[in-house]
Amino acid sequence: KTRNRNCKIKKRIIMRLSKVISIILHPIFMPLLAFYLSIKLIPSIGFAITNYLNYIYGVLVISSIILPLISLFILIKSARVESIEMTNHYERPTPLFRTAFLIGLGYYLIENILIFSPILKSELLGAIIIMIIAALISKYWKISLHMLGIGGLFGILISLNILFGGMEQIMVLTLLLAGVLGISRINEKAHSYKQIYVGFIVGASVEIIAILLI
């Protein structure tokens, strides 16, 4: 009995820890985090828009976090989505398309500023493309949105490393966090390993293409 009780306690701790990790590394924060890290790690790419950074961050917070959350809560209230976790893949296309639209709206508001920083502009475009791809795939399959998000961040770091170098340490850290996040999603029984791997690869690939080719 004691052994079973200890096992149950361990499982609860693991589940709670996995939940906390999933919240901290939620994909809704990734576009803003990637934007911030890019400027901090490579100040030169944001030099031309320094005077507008507060405005840009404000637009990004509203368009990529606040408005998408409000939209999601409205969908939950109207019973079109069951919960904020969107456990059923067929619930996801509508909120994801709306999020892509809202981020696109934010992009439109700051496009005339980001024209002076093509890399940051490409990052944001990549985030919008990832959302659209996620919405399309979610009609048929439950791809991991968490891994799409952190995969996108990793793809940005790879691109910055190719262009400027010196990103090795933060890349390793991000890869480790991605591994921890993937295990957390598995522990929560939210995804299969295939959904985890595909999400990460797609997210990274889109941002690499957006920054290095587009």
Side-chain angles (χ1 to χ4, degrees), residues 29-48:
F29 303 125
M30 290 300 151
L32 182 63
L33 177 61
F35 197 94
Y36 174 80
L37 284 177
S38 298
I39 293 175
K40 285 297 179 181
L41 295 170
I42 313 290
S44 61
I45 67 176
F47 180 76

Side-chain angles (χ1 to χ4, degrees), residues 91-135:
E91 294 179 334
R92 295 181 168 190
T94 298
L96 288 174
F97 276 127
R98 287 189 179 187
T99 299
F101 171 78
L102 291 169
I103 297 177
L105 183 61
Y107 171 82
Y108 173 77
L109 293 174
I110 58 177
E111 182 185 11
N112 61 330
I113 302 172
L114 292 183
I115 195 171
F116 299 106
S117 181
I119 291 176
L120 296 176
K121 182 178 180 180
S122 297
E123 283 184 19
L124 199 52
L125 278 174
I128 296 169
I129 293 169
I130 287 173
M131 284 293 174
I132 294 172
I133 290 174

Side-chain angles (χ1 to χ4, degrees), residues 41-105:
L41 295 170
I42 313 290
S44 61
I45 67 176
F47 180 76
I49 60 173
T50 301
N51 294 333
Y52 304 96
L53 283 180
N54 289 336
Y55 171 68
I56 292 172
Y57 283 130
V59 170
L60 289 178
V61 168
I62 293 171
S63 65
S64 67
I65 299 175
I66 296 176
L67 290 181
L69 284 175
I70 291 173
S71 175
L72 180 57
F73 284 128
I74 291 173
L75 289 171
I76 293 172
K77 194 71 175 176
S78 61
R80 296 179 64 183
V81 173
E82 190 174 319
S83 70
I84 194 171
E85 296 179 352
M86 298 185 292
T87 51
N88 298 312
H89 68 85
Y90 54 80
E91 294 179 334
R92 295 181 168 190
T94 298
L96 288 174
F97 276 127
R98 287 189 179 187
T99 299
F101 171 78
L102 291 169
I103 297 177
L105 183 61

